[in-house]
């Protein structure tokens, strides 16, 4: 069966046609190592973000950046805190490195209370928008968390920032303890190329570079370097795609609300929703039988929910048809 993949938050759009133009011919240079400093890409990113190249590091996906950051800034004494409902990689990295961690409960509505993260005495990582809820904190709330944790690193994971939230990148000039993590996987249609970016003070970036150069200075290959550069050169293409994803998200949200779903106010490229008629795991299984893959988390507090990536218009029509058929089936008992 060919599944409709709404389970890993990839973009339904191909990369910009400019990516193919940029990488064409590069295969003939694959005998040469790539530029470990990613200089050309850094110059383009610096211009686009209004920061200096010394404020940037590029990694093999933002998961690699998070890996480097946990290794560089956390240890057995200096642990890290994060919301109890968030991206699954954070506790995985803590377990791997023996980093002590604490989960701070989100509210009943899954909202993060910034004050819970003040003066924490540990490093902090927050996905903004959060995953899998899609809920966003304002830049002023993020600023308070950064300001109230001097001498501690606050990592803001902006994997989904292009879908409606406001980036806190501008704060890196004011606070040397802020690290912003970005990925080209979701909004920039490059999940398969593996490209992530860290933005922070030259001091933080310096520590991260030490880790990167120890592991593998060449973690970004020549093709990906050019694909990333092309992404910056064709930013309007991605802005338009994100607009379409946002419009589709709002339409699908209204449709499933009308079908009795509770849906968070997601500012990401996914919805997080539970039905009043069918349990989360059961809906996941039934959708799968209909050829639609969504993401279910077998985690206390959110097991009634599913995370649904916003795909193309036709993929979302297929999803809605499947949902209508499933919840109108009288056999279903919650
Ligand atoms: C997808 C995702 C990432 C990592 O993406 P990469 O493909 O490794 O760049 C990081 N953080 C969050 C919250 C994500 O959802």
């Amino acid at each position: 069966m060919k599944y409709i993949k709404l389970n890993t938050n990839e973009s339904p759009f191909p990369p910009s046609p400019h990516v193919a133009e940029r990488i064409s011919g590069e295969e003939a240079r694959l005998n040469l190592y790539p530029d470990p400093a990613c200089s050309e890409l850094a110059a383009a990113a610096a211009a686009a973000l209004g920061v200096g190249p010394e404020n940037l590091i590029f990694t093999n996906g933002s998961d690699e950046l998070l890996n480097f950051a946990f290794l560089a800034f956390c240890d057995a004494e200096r642990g890290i805190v994060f919301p109890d409902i968030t991206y699954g990689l954070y506790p995985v990295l803590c377990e791997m490195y023996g980093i002590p961690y604490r989960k701070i409960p989100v509210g009943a509505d899954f909202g993060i209370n910034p004050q819970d993260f003040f003066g924490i005495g540990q490093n902090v990582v927050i996905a903004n928008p959060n995953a899998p809820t899609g809920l966003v904190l304002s830049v002023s709330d993020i600023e308070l968390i950064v300001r109230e944790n001097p001498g501690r690193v606050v990592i803001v994971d902006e994997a989904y920032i292009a879908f409606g939230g406001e980036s806190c990148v501008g704060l890196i000039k004011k606070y040397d303890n802020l690290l912003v993590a970005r990925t080209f996987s979701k909004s920039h249609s490059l999940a398969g190329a593996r490209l992530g970016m860290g933005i922070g003070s030259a001091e933080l970036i310096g520590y991260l570079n030490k880790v990167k150069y120890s592991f593998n200075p060449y973690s970004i290959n020549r093709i990906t370097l050019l694909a990333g550069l092309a992404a910056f050169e064709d930013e309007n293409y991605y802005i338009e795609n994100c607009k379409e994803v946002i419009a589709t998200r709002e339409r699908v949200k209204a449709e499933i609300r009308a079908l009795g779903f509770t849906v968070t106010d997601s500012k990401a490229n996914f919805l997080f929703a539970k039905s009043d008629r069918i349990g989360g795991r059961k809906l996941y299984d039934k959708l799968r039988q209909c050829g639609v893959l969504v993401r279910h988390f077998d985690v206390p507090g959110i097991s009634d929910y599913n995370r649904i990536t916003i795909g193309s218009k036709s993929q979302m029509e297929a999803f809605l048809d499947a949902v209508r058929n499933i919840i109108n089936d009288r056999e279903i008992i919650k």
Side-chain angles (χ1 to χ4, degrees), residues 8-9 59-66 86-90 126-131 157-160 181-186 190-192 194-197 269-270 307:
T8 53
N9 298 342
T59 51
N60 190 293
S62 59
D63 281 356
E64 190 183 60
L65 178 75
L66 293 165
T86 192
Y87 189 40
L89 181 68
Y90 309 151
I126 290 182
N128 195 45
N130 198 12
D157 182 347
E158 292 192 338
Y160 300 103
R182 289 273 189 91
T183 174
F184 291 72
S185 296
K186 284 39 186 267
L190 287 176
R194 312 305 302 128
L195 185 60
M197 173 169 70
N269 65 340
F270 54 80
R307 188 193 70 192

Side-chain angles (χ1 to χ4, degrees), residues 13-24 188-190 226-227 230-231 233-234 236-238 241:
F13 304 104
S16 146
H18 184 50
V19 169
E21 278 168 26
R22 264 285 187 183
I23 66 181
S24 154
H188 286 67
S189 304
L190 287 176
L226 290 172
E233 290 166 348
D234 201 4
N236 280 338
Y237 172 83
Y238 300 100
N241 288 351

Side-chain angles (χ1 to χ4, degrees), residues 194-212:
R194 312 305 302 128
L195 185 60
M197 173 169 70
I199 309 138
S201 64
E203 190 192 358
L204 289 191
I205 297 298
Y207 289 124
L208 292 167
N209 268 321
K210 276 197 179 151
V211 176
K212 170 173 161 171

Side-chain angles (χ1 to χ4, degrees), residues 130-169:
N130 198 12
T133 61
L135 297 179
V136 77
L137 286 175
S138 66
V139 172
S140 52
D141 282 342
I142 294 287
E143 176 163 13
L144 288 175
I145 294 170
V146 177
R147 197 185 74 193
E148 296 299 325
N149 287 287
R152 302 289 183 263
V153 179
V154 177
I155 304 168
V156 179
D157 182 347
E158 292 192 338
Y160 300 103
I161 200 65
F163 302 102
E166 195 193 338
S167 174
C168 69
V169 160

Side-chain angles (χ1 to χ4, degrees), residues 16-192:
S16 146
H18 184 50
V19 169
E21 278 168 26
R22 264 285 187 183
I23 66 181
S24 154
E26 192 64 8
E27 65 278 9
R29 286 182 284 278
L30 288 177
N31 56 317
L32 305 173
Y33 282 110
D35 170 18
C38 308
S39 308
E40 229 183 324
L41 186 55
L49 296 167
V51 301
E54 70 282 5
N55 299 120
L56 295 167
I57 181 172
F58 292 89
T59 51
N60 190 293
S62 59
D63 281 356
E64 190 183 60
L65 178 75
L66 293 165
N67 182 5
F68 291 171
F70 277 55
L71 195 54
F73 305 127
C74 304
D75 58 26
E77 265 95 67
R78 175 75 57 97
I80 194 160
V81 302
F82 42 84
D84 62 345
I85 294 180
T86 192
Y87 189 40
L89 181 68
Y90 309 151
V92 168
L93 291 173
C94 290
E95 298 284 346
M96 177 166 72
Y97 293 128
I99 296 166
Y101 63 97
R102 187 152 63 86
K103 296 178 176 182
I104 297 193
V106 297
D109 56 358
F110 304 124
I112 291 170
N113 179 1
Q115 291 179 18
D116 293 345
F117 291 82
F118 289 1
I120 214 83
Q122 310 282 329
N123 296 325
V124 175
V125 60
I126 290 182
N128 195 45
N130 198 12
T133 61
L135 297 179
V136 77
L137 286 175
S138 66
V139 172
S140 52
D141 282 342
I142 294 287
E143 176 163 13
L144 288 175
I145 294 170
V146 177
R147 197 185 74 193
E148 296 299 325
N149 287 287
R152 302 289 183 263
V153 179
V154 177
I155 304 168
V156 179
D157 182 347
E158 292 192 338
Y160 300 103
I161 200 65
F163 302 102
E166 195 193 338
S167 174
C168 69
V169 160
L171 297 177
I172 67 139
K173 297 211 170 105
K174 207 163 149 192
Y175 300 95
D176 61 5
N177 62 325
L178 169 65
L179 177 69
V180 182
R182 289 273 189 91
T183 174
F184 291 72
S185 296
K186 284 39 186 267
S187 50
H188 286 67
S189 304
L190 287 176

